[in-house]
Amino acid sequence: QVQLVESGGGLVQAGGSLRLSCEASGRTFSNYVMGWFRQAPGKEREFVATINYNSGRAYVADSVKGRFTISRDNAKNTVYLSMNSLKPEDTAVYYCATSYSPTNPLLTRPGEYVYWGQGTQVTVSS
């Protein structure tokens, strides 16, 4: 099994920055694709970013491209979401997710992930 613990959320003014962290624990961190999703009140869970297990490939949603960056540190079993130029519409609960993927894909659908963190609230004030 895999457990995910998120941190770094909070309240920030528009234009500010936050870095979310997601630390994974379990039998292995290798060969796991990682993803970030967010969900605002009354909206469906939305894809944000994904990165494969060797950090060679990543994909960021168009809505945050140029502002958000996903990265991972396998030695620390941690994936990061660096968020810059935050906007009020970025306000949501942010979730980290992971799945074992032998083919090393980039996964963008919530249903493709097996393990999820508890979520961390990001609130951007205007």
Side-chain angles (χ1 to χ4, degrees), residues 33-38 46-51 58-61 64 68-71 79-81 95-97 106-108 113:
V33 63
M34 306 293 298
W36 284 98
F37 294 79
R38 65 186 183 184
E46 176 189 17
F47 166 75
V48 176
T50 183
I51 188 168
Y59 180 74
V60 180
V64 300
F68 291 11
T69 302
I70 187 171
S71 61
V79 63
Y80 304 97
L81 184 68
Y95 297 91
C96 176
L106 296 174
L107 304 180
T108 61
Y113 287 87

Side-chain angles (χ1 to χ4, degrees), residues 14-28:
S17 300
L18 286 173
R19 188 178 74 163
L20 306 182
S21 299
C22 175
E23 184 176 0
S25 61
R27 289 184 291 180
T28 182

Side-chain angles (χ1 to χ4, degrees), residues 12-119:
V12 64
Q13 291 188 336
S17 300
L18 286 173
R19 188 178 74 163
L20 306 182
S21 299
C22 175
E23 184 176 0
S25 61
R27 289 184 291 180
T28 182
F29 192 65
S30 300
N31 307 116
Y32 279 83
V33 63
M34 306 293 298
W36 284 98
F37 294 79
R38 65 186 183 184
Q39 189 166 22
K43 299 182 66 176
E44 296 181 345
R45 191 161 297 189
E46 176 189 17
F47 166 75
V48 176
T50 183
I51 188 168
N52 69 354
Y53 55 76
N54 64 6
S55 300
R57 293 164 55 233
Y59 180 74
V60 180
D62 290 341
S63 59
V64 300
K65 191 171 297 183
R67 300 187 297 119
F68 291 11
T69 302
I70 187 171
S71 61
R72 65 190 291 167
D73 186 340
N74 290 344
K76 297 181 178 180
N77 293 332
T78 301
V79 63
Y80 304 97
L81 184 68
S82 297
M83 305 183 294
N84 300 314
S85 302
L86 284 163
K87 305 174 181 179
E89 52 263 43
D90 295 320
T91 296
V93 177
Y94 283 71
Y95 297 91
C96 176
T98 187
S99 285
Y100 175 71
S101 302
T103 59
N104 198 21
L106 296 174
L107 304 180
T108 61
R109 298 185 177 96
E112 296 174 314
Y113 287 87
V114 175
Y115 304 101
W116 292 82
Q118 80 289 347

